[in-house]
Amino acid sequence: MTAPPTRFTCNGTSVAVGDHPHLLAALRDELGLVAAKDGCAPSGQCGCCTVLVDGRARVACQTPLERVADREVTTLEGLDDDTRRRFAAAFAAVGALQCGFCTPGIVLRAHALLERHGTALTRERLARHLGAHLCRCTGYLKILDAVELLARGDEPAPPTPATPVGIGTRLARYQGHELTLGDKPYVADMRPPGLLRGAVRLADHARADVVRIDTAAALALPGVHAVVTAADVPGELRVGLIDRDWPVFIPEGGRTSYLGDVIALAVADDEETARRAAAAVEVEYRPLRPITDPETACDDEDAVWGLDGNLLSVSAYTRGGDVDAALAASAHVVTERFVTQRVEQAFLEPESTLAVPTDEGGLLVYSGGQGVWDDRRQIAEVCALPESAVWVEQVANGGAFGGKEDLSNQAQTALAALVTGRPVLTTFSRTESLLVHAKRHPIRIDLEVGCDEQGRLTALRARLLGDSGPYASVGAKVLERAAGHACGPYVIPVVDVEARAVRTNNPVCGAFRGFGANQAQFAMEGAIDRLAAAVGLSGWEMRRRNVVEPGAVWGPGQVMDEGCRGARACLEAVRPAYEQARAAGRAVGLGLGLKNSGLGNGAVEVARAVVHFVPDAEHPPGTPAGPDTLVEVRHCWTEMGQGVHTVALQVACEELGVSPERVRVVVDTSRELGAGQTTGSRGTLMGAGAVAAACRAARADDCRTGIDHVGEYRVDWTHAFDDPSVANPVIHSTFGYAAQLVIADPDTGTIEQVVAAHDVGRAVNPLLCEGQIEGAVHMGLGYALGEEFPCDAEGRPLNTTLRSLGILRAADMPPVEVVLVESPQPDAPYGIKGVGEIGLVPTAPAVAAAWQAIDGRWRTRLPLGVHEPLRVGADPGAGIRDPGDERT
């Protein structure tokens, strides 16, 4: 029996809606109001779907329709034009948004609070109320700044038209106004005619033989159009960025390898019906014992169906002679095991794909992935289509942090569109997202580090073991990167490093901001602090004595160039705050880190861009552009909140002398520009280089309209660190550096402030750089204190909701003082180094050091708040070992 319609007033208009599981579904799917975003429905833990009900903020995915009957519902689309303008201007001007997915919900709650409290709304009250909201990008601080500005009644100063815009300008984010108001569509907001919805059926066991898949009951449900399985795949069953080992479906006769394996995709008229159909797919299994212990995996049965053995990779190098002899000759030696945890990216936008069949038998795919050319290649392989028949358009996504590099649901959705002949949209639920995509590697790190009596480092031995889950993803490269960064930003004469990645039936692990450098340098920084205590030096002085300098041999043997001066510059930048806090009796922890930008390790990296002056009536094709001609900039990088579109725009303004209003930024596969994944902090570095080259090509051709002016930026001079033919391999072309200072209350352990000095080479947009660093500090504090994604012995995650992940909320975030250091990188475009990945490398070790200053305990296991919580009131001296003890 059909439920009667629910009537209410929405944005001033009387509406009647049909049966829906909650208010959010009615708003988005029936009324077409998509400013309220679905980040976790129906759990109500992210705040992205916040609306107003009779003027009060409510989470729409937790609001049954009967609770809004005969009431007033207001979405962000329904606010008056002036209010919308003021919020958009304030948030864009102060940098209060990045990916923008969470922003509309935050705006509506802030609006409700301002209506209630006006100028009396305090920063503290706002932060408490924002506890209902997650923002994974900004660290909340600039959000608080924007709302404070509005509470004061201030208007952000509009840009002066005569002011030139280019490199170094604090320009508002490209499309920042549209993102603030929810007007910029994400993939899940798109609704082409004839749209069908897809829903996945995931595995019930982490390791089991699939005996039978029965779709009859699912197909019998009204409104179901298809249930797609491995039997429908006309091309390749397995995909992958490096190794093609990840099945898009597990077939009958196959074997599941983790709980994120896809068994089937149900396609129906609406999402609710598709989900019922997916649940109705019957699967008969023969369960097997999961391989979940990385310590013993290499001696166990094969974790993955069709693959031989569980050792994914070994990355190793030695340099400088006999490490045993060097350690034995050292005045002080630290021997310690460090353990880091598996972590979920928790981007706010769940993975979505829209696939539309074309009249020519091909596909138009809208993807929020991190590399649309890789998406195109893999979709074409699965669907047995030539790549030329697949057009993938990159839709700026709602955060990624590495978790959207691998295919999620793109291939299954594309195949469903071919099977049904209709557009298909598939969006993961939050639970599905947590199960499917790759996480940060948990890594066990055994270190031996020595120094002489003056604190000069003498030798390092490191052994790293990473749990990569079942499929390769980029796990081998993460452990390679961890091995390469095991020395931290320090000069060590004798080095012996080995890192292994192993396969298990735990969740897949792959790319996540920091990419192995976080784990390796948590260990190395811990060793530096222990050695400093043994020698009798401050942590700052110990780092000063060992930091890399131009000409020094680093890590696997790279001779460092002038760009490494940024490491010492960052140390010097935090020194006044370090000394002042110590003098004031605060508990202080310091971390220093480096992180490469780009892929390096011998990869040939080529990025291309196109500058295209759009013809108009006054400037037909082939004629020089006029002062008002639209400039289309096409590049090959995914916008996911980091600001790469804004970088492309500012480079165009710098090189062409045009105003920002004339520039439109586009990313799709209509041109062959691809450079792989948007990863490794290389989007700004390589994107700026390619766009600048395209602009210069345009100038050389009189900026003629209707022509693709192509530019290229290439990095083809790096080496693999285990190449025996190269004595001093250039492992990476560019590094960013950062020093972070954590200042805590010695009585309570409360973190009072973080000072973050980051060498970005050249800040293309200082406003966006600050936001990236604040967001990275927020993520780093979470990594240090509470974030974790543990699994049981069956490979089943224990934390399955956003709330359970341990992410810091707005009221938990301390003030962050950002210091931008600009020590240019030789030969890089404008001296750029990048900032996204280095951002949280120093944070966790700095927290560990601050806590050690309070209770005297050296920490070895992350997250600290879960495994090694602070003992407030302990005698700090009680935990400091005798300097004569070799473990110090």
Side-chain angles (χ1 to χ4, degrees):
M1 183 175 179
T2 304
T6 301
R7 301 182 184 279
F8 58 95
T9 301
C10 184
N11 297 335
T13 300
S14 178
V15 298
V17 299
D19 189 25
H20 294 276
H22 40 66
L23 174 60
L24 179 62
L27 293 172
R28 290 180 59 84
D29 295 336
E30 185 167 346
L31 299 179
L33 299 169
V34 296
K37 307 302 181 188
D38 183 353
C40 67
S43 68
Q45 297 181 7
C46 70
C48 295
C49 65
T50 298
V51 298
L52 304 181
V53 178
D54 292 341
R56 300 182 72 86
R58 291 289 181 265
V59 177
C61 77
Q62 289 249 296
T63 304
L65 282 176
E66 58 266 25
R67 290 182 58 184
V68 300
D70 302 319
R71 299 175 73 179
E72 173 72 41
V73 175
T74 305
T75 70
L76 192 49
E77 291 96 336
L79 296 185
D80 66 83
D81 289 345
D82 187 60
T83 298
R84 285 167 54 85
R85 178 193 60 78
R86 288 189 297 107
F87 269 99
F91 271 62
V94 305
L97 74 153
Q98 289 184 28
C99 81
F101 195 82
C102 68
T103 310
I106 290 172
V107 165
L108 269 181
R109 188 171 297 274
H111 172 69
L113 290 168
L114 287 169
E115 289 290 291
R116 189 181 315 161
H117 301 287
T119 58
L121 179 62
T122 65
R123 191 178 182 94
E124 292 73 22
R125 181 190 293 271
L126 173 63
R128 288 199 308 273
H129 281 276
L130 287 182
H133 296 263
L134 277 176
C135 175
R136 198 59 164 155
C137 297
T138 67
Y140 303 105
L141 300 177
K142 292 191 185 301
I143 295 172
L144 300 176
D145 292 342
V147 181
E148 276 192 314
L149 184 149
L150 292 165
R152 293 194 304 266
D154 293 343
E155 291 276 350
T160 304
T163 302
V165 171
I167 304 300
T169 305
R170 296 177 68 88
L171 186 69
R173 177 176 301 276
Y174 178 72
Q175 296 182 327
H177 286 67
E178 296 93 326
L179 286 164
T180 300
L181 301 175
D183 293 342
K184 172 70 173 64
Y186 299 88
V187 174
D189 298 333
M190 304 171 110
R191 298 289 189 273
L195 179 67
L196 300 175
R197 304 297 292 272
V200 292
R201 172 72 156 88
L202 297 182
D204 298 291
H205 303 276
R207 184 167 179 256
D209 290 331
V210 176
V211 177
R212 182 178 61 88
I213 301 171
D214 189 345
T215 63
L219 288 167
L221 292 174
V224 175
H225 291 256
V227 178
V228 183
T229 68
D232 297 297
V233 175
E236 298 294 330
L237 185 64
R238 296 176 186 261
V239 297
L241 295 174
I242 299 172
D243 299 333
R244 289 170 169 81
D245 64 349
W246 197 330
V248 295
F249 292 105
I250 304 299
E252 287 185 349
R255 178 178 294 173
T256 66
S257 297
Y258 83 127
L259 290 166
D261 274 327
V262 178
I263 303 294
L265 180 77
V267 184
D269 289 330
D270 57 79
E271 184 176 7
E272 193 174 2
T273 302
R275 292 199 173 280
R276 284 201 304 270
V281 174
E282 297 177 8
V283 187
E284 181 184 342
Y285 297 96
R286 185 182 299 111
L288 303 169
R289 177 180 58 86
I291 312 301
T292 57
D293 184 355
E295 303 273 354
T296 60
C298 287
D299 299 320
D300 212 324
E301 301 173 5
D302 294 344
V304 183
W305 161 59
L307 300 183
D308 184 17
N310 296 331
L311 180 62
L312 175 61
S313 68
V314 178
S315 301
Y317 60 93
T318 60
R319 176 175 57 79
D322 186 339
V323 71
D324 288 316
L327 289 168
S330 300
H332 305 282
V333 176
V334 167
T335 303
E336 193 69 85
R337 170 170 289 185
F338 297 87
V339 179
T340 68
Q341 76 278 40
R342 183 183 299 105
V343 185
E344 156 66 24
Q345 290 90 347
F347 39 76
L348 269 294
E349 178 209 23
E351 298 90 332
S352 290
T353 301
L354 171 62
V356 182
T358 66
D359 294 339
E360 295 78 23
L363 287 165
L364 171 58
V365 180
Y366 297 90
S367 172
Q370 290 184 234
V372 290
W373 280 268
D374 282 333
D375 290 356
R376 181 184 67 177
R377 170 183 60 80
Q378 295 173 97
I379 290 168
E381 289 173 355
V382 170
C383 296
L385 293 171
E387 288 191 25
S388 59
V390 180
W391 179 323
V392 182
E393 182 168 327
Q394 194 273 318
V395 180
N397 68 40
F401 310 109
K404 294 179 180 176
E405 289 192 15
D406 302 285
L407 287 189
S408 56
N409 50 31
Q410 290 98 322
Q412 296 93 340
T413 306
L415 183 57
L418 288 179
V419 168
T420 61
R422 298 264 296 273
V424 178
L425 171 65
T426 303
T427 300
F428 281 161
S429 70
R430 180 56 60 179
T431 300
E432 292 161 351
S433 176
L434 292 174
L435 288 171
V436 172
H437 69 251
K439 314 288 184 251
R440 186 187 300 286
H441 282 74
I443 300 181
R444 186 203 72 197
I445 306 153
D446 291 315
L447 273 193
E448 293 176 81
V449 188
C451 72
D452 63 19
E453 293 179 350
Q454 287 73 45
R456 303 283 182 182
L457 295 173
T458 54
L460 163 71
R461 174 161 40 219
R463 295 294 181 265
L464 300 88
L465 177 67
D467 180 353
S468 224
Y471 304 127
S473 180
V474 291
K477 292 298 179 182
V478 171
L479 269 294
E480 178 184 78
R481 199 66 41 83
H485 285 66
C487 295
Y490 304 113
V491 179
I492 307 178
V494 183
V495 180
D496 181 348
V497 176
E498 179 186 273
R500 292 183 298 147
V502 299
R503 298 182 190 266
T504 68
N505 298 120
N506 293 318
V508 178
C509 288
F512 190 170
R513 190 182 208 170
F515 207 86
N518 309 59
Q519 297 95 315
Q521 290 177 81
F522 171 68
M524 187 61 198
E525 288 297 279
I528 288 287
D529 283 325
R530 288 157 172 78
L531 289 172
V535 177
L537 298 175
S538 71
W540 188 92
E541 177 60 24
M542 184 73 183
R543 288 166 173 82
R544 186 195 69 81
R545 293 187 184 190
N546 291 285
V547 70
V548 290
E549 296 281 0
V553 178
W554 168 84
Q558 180 162 346
V559 177
M560 301 301 277
D561 61 23
E562 289 293 317
C564 79
R565 293 190 186 279
R568 185 175 296 276
C570 288
L571 266 182
E572 293 292 345
V574 301
R575 184 178 186 177
Y578 179 83
E579 293 178 346
Q580 182 179 354
R582 282 171 52 116
R586 313 321 286 165
V588 179
L590 174 64
L592 180 66
L594 86 166
K595 175 66 178 67
N596 70 293
S597 296
L599 302 180
N601 288 107
V604 176
E605 303 178 70
V606 182
R608 298 183 181 89
V610 165
V611 167
H612 186 98
F613 294 87
V614 179
D616 55 37
E618 296 183 8
H619 307 90
T623 63
D628 298 318
T629 299
L630 177 66
V631 183
E632 193 175 76
V633 176
R634 292 177 176 269
H635 64 83
C636 54
W637 307 103
T638 296
E639 175 58 71
M640 46 194 171
Q642 84 280 38
V644 70
H645 283 355
T646 313
V647 168
L649 179 148
Q650 288 187 237
V651 170
C653 293
E654 173 84 14
E655 297 291 337
L656 300 175
V658 299
S659 66
E661 296 76 19
R662 289 178 54 194
V663 180
R664 181 176 69 195
V665 183
V666 179
V667 180
D668 63 31
T669 60
S670 63
R671 276 75 163 176
E672 294 303 320
L673 310 177
Q677 296 294 307
T678 305
T679 186
S681 289
R682 66 195 190 120
T684 296
L685 171 69
M686 299 193 69
V691 172
C695 290
R696 291 162 190 160
R699 293 204 314 264
D701 195 28
D702 294 327
C703 296
R704 289 190 296 149
T705 63
I707 294 171
D708 281 356
H709 304 283
V710 181
E712 177 181 290
Y713 183 74
R714 177 181 293 261
V715 176
D716 55 6
W717 62 84
T718 66
H719 310 103
F721 63 51
D722 56 357
D723 185 346
S725 67
V726 183
N728 293 106
V730 178
I731 310 303
H732 299 292
S733 66
T734 310
F735 294 91
Y737 302 91
Q740 290 184 6
L741 190 65
V742 169
I743 303 170
D745 185 319
D747 297 320
T748 66
T750 301
I751 296 174
E752 299 173 328
Q753 186 185 21
V754 176
V755 180
H758 285 243
D759 171 29
V760 300
R762 178 75 185 279
V764 176
N765 186 315
L767 177 67
L768 269 58
C769 279
E770 291 166 4
Q772 281 281 291
I773 294 165
E774 290 171 1
V777 168
H778 168 263
M779 192 173 279
L781 290 173
Y783 182 49
L785 297 172
E787 289 191 37
E788 190 171 23
F789 197 75
C791 296
D792 65 16
E794 300 298 309
R796 190 171 299 276
L798 299 177
N799 294 341
T800 57
T801 64
L802 287 173
R803 185 172 289 127
S804 67
L805 297 177
I807 300 169
L808 301 182
R809 303 277 173 153
D812 304 317
M813 187 65 184
V816 178
E817 179 187 346
V818 174
V819 181
L820 292 180
V821 174
E822 294 184 297
S823 181
Q825 176 63 36
D827 301 323
Y830 310 109
I832 291 168
K833 291 178 175 173
V835 67
E837 293 225 87
I838 180 63
L840 61 129
V841 171
T843 318
V847 173
W851 279 18
Q852 192 276 336
I854 295 171
D855 67 6
R857 296 170 62 214
W858 296 114
R859 265 77 184 176
T860 61
R861 187 174 181 187
L862 295 174
L864 307 175
V866 174
H867 299 292
E868 298 180 301
L870 186 65
R871 295 176 182 170
V872 177
D875 177 9
I880 300 177
R881 299 186 179 99
D882 184 335
D885 181 344
E886 74 167 7
R887 290 175 60 88
T888 33

